[in-house]
Amino acid sequence: QVQLVESGGGLVQPGGSLRLSCAASKSIFSADTMGWFRQAPGKQRELVATISRVGGVTNYADSAKGRFTVSRDITKNAMYLQMNSLKPEDTAIYYCNLVDHSGSYFGQGTQVTISS
């Protein structure tokens, strides 16, 4: 198993930026996929971005394309989400996800609020 801890959330004005971090309790080298999900109040959890083990291939939800960038640092067992040009509709709890041979794991989430 692995524990995931997100950080970096907060209150930002529209148009601002945030960088979320996800720290894993063990090596992420063998993770098949890592990603970010989010859940807004009253809505289902949705995929935001993923990054694959092989080649670090990234994929984004349409709502994140051109504004968000997912990356990872295997040496630090960490994954990041750089979010730019934030909009009120980006307000949600953001969750880190890791999938490996033993299962799929989520962190406890970090709150992101976009408001003026």
Side-chain angles (χ1 to χ4, degrees), residues 72-86:
R72 63 182 179 178
D73 187 334
I74 294 176
T75 65
K76 296 182 179 179
N77 297 329
M79 179 179 64
Y80 309 98
L81 186 67
Q82 178 67 43
M83 304 188 294
N84 300 325
S85 302
L86 285 162

Side-chain angles (χ1 to χ4, degrees), residues 45-69:
R45 189 175 296 187
E46 62 177 3
L47 178 66
V48 176
T50 61
I51 184 165
S52 68
R53 176 174 63 89
V54 180
V57 177
T58 58
N59 283 289
Y60 299 92
D62 287 344
S63 59
K65 288 179 181 177
R67 300 189 299 128
F68 295 3
T69 302

Side-chain angles (χ1 to χ4, degrees), residues 4-110:
L4 303 171
V5 179
E6 302 92 337
S7 61
L11 172 63
V12 176
Q13 291 187 343
S17 298
L18 279 174
R19 187 186 191 222
L20 305 183
S21 298
C22 171
S25 62
K26 69 175 187 180
S27 173
I28 65 172
F29 179 78
S30 61
D32 295 318
T33 304
M34 293 188 72
W36 290 94
F37 287 72
R38 69 185 183 187
Q39 187 167 17
K43 295 187 177 182
Q44 291 187 338
R45 189 175 296 187
E46 62 177 3
L47 178 66
V48 176
T50 61
I51 184 165
S52 68
R53 176 174 63 89
V54 180
V57 177
T58 58
N59 283 289
Y60 299 92
D62 287 344
S63 59
K65 288 179 181 177
R67 300 189 299 128
F68 295 3
T69 302
V70 60
S71 62
R72 63 182 179 178
D73 187 334
I74 294 176
T75 65
K76 296 182 179 179
N77 297 329
M79 179 179 64
Y80 309 98
L81 186 67
Q82 178 67 43
M83 304 188 294
N84 300 325
S85 302
L86 285 162
K87 306 174 182 179
E89 51 263 44
D90 294 318
T91 295
I93 299 174
Y94 284 71
Y95 298 90
C96 172
N97 174 249
L98 182 149
V99 179
D100 66 12
H101 68 281
S102 64
S104 177
Y105 304 93
F106 285 91
Q108 83 290 347
T110 185

